[in-house]
Amino acid sequence: VSHRPVTQTNDVAVSEVTLQHHRQSGGDRLTQLHLRLQEEAEKIRKWKTSTEMNFKQKESQLKEAFQTIDSQKKNLLDLQLENSSLHTKLSEEEVNRQELRLRIESTRDLCAVLRDHIGKIQSNIELGESDGERLNNENQQRMDQYE
């Protein structure tokens, strides 16, 4: 290492170089901080945009869900109304079937009574015919006797 005497001009030159070096390194540091700040700001913007997009997507999905719920409520009410109507028709049909069953039973009973009555009438007719033949035969015999 050489020892030279420090002069005032040398000191000023060294100070200026040191100052420029500090300014340059400070300027570099400031530039780096500025760039880093811009990068962080860009990350925040991207995050904000992403968050806003997610929020809008969730909001849209929620709106669709509410529309689906409203639609399902309407469909449920329609189905309940239809079910009520069908239940009423079923009740009416059950009453009609019961009435029809009673009519059929009454008709069967009436048919059975008519068959019995027809049987009795046929028996009476047969009896009357046989009595009529017998009377005709007896009448014929009496006429033959008187002749």
Side-chain angles (χ1 to χ4, degrees):
V1 179
S2 68
H3 288 7
R4 33 183 195 175
V6 178
T7 61
Q8 197 173 17
T9 54
N10 266 350
D11 285 341
V12 172
V14 170
S15 293
E16 285 181 24
V17 170
T18 306
L19 185 60
Q20 282 180 348
H21 179 66
H22 280 325
R23 281 185 194 157
Q24 193 175 27
S25 66
D28 287 345
R29 188 163 187 253
L30 187 58
T31 303
Q32 287 175 351
L33 287 174
H34 185 68
L35 288 174
R36 191 167 171 207
L37 183 62
Q38 285 178 341
E39 288 173 0
E40 292 300 319
E42 187 61 30
K43 285 180 186 177
I44 291 171
R45 275 190 229 105
K46 285 181 182 178
W47 173 82
K48 181 182 176 190
T49 303
S50 173
T51 304
E52 286 174 351
M53 287 175 56
N54 285 338
F55 179 75
K56 286 180 182 180
Q57 184 180 11
K58 298 287 184 199
E59 197 174 53
S60 175
Q61 289 173 345
L62 188 60
K63 184 178 178 182
E64 287 177 23
F66 279 124
Q67 288 174 344
T68 301
I69 289 169
D70 288 342
S71 173
Q72 292 298 326
K73 281 181 182 178
K74 184 182 180 297
N75 288 341
L76 180 61
L77 289 174
D78 289 345
L79 288 173
Q80 287 174 338
L81 183 61
E82 184 179 350
N83 185 36
S84 177
S85 174
L86 290 173
H87 181 70
T88 302
K89 287 179 181 179
L90 179 63
S91 296
E92 290 172 358
E93 188 63 30
E94 287 174 348
V95 168
N96 289 341
R97 282 179 178 247
Q98 183 63 25
E99 289 176 1
L100 186 59
R101 211 174 291 131
L102 290 174
R103 285 181 189 171
I104 290 171
E105 191 176 314
S106 296
T107 303
R108 284 183 181 149
D109 291 345
L110 185 59
C111 285
V113 168
L114 286 174
R115 274 191 219 113
D116 288 347
H117 188 66
I118 289 172
K120 288 178 185 176
I121 290 175
Q122 281 180 335
S123 294
N124 285 340
I125 289 173
E126 288 172 3
L127 183 62
E129 286 176 349
S130 70
D131 283 349
E133 279 182 36
R134 189 177 48 88
L135 285 176
N136 279 338
N137 286 340
E138 286 177 8
N139 227 3
Q140 189 68 32
Q141 285 175 357
R142 276 190 213 150
M143 288 180 108
D144 287 344
Q145 279 178 357
Y146 288 118
E147 283 183 9

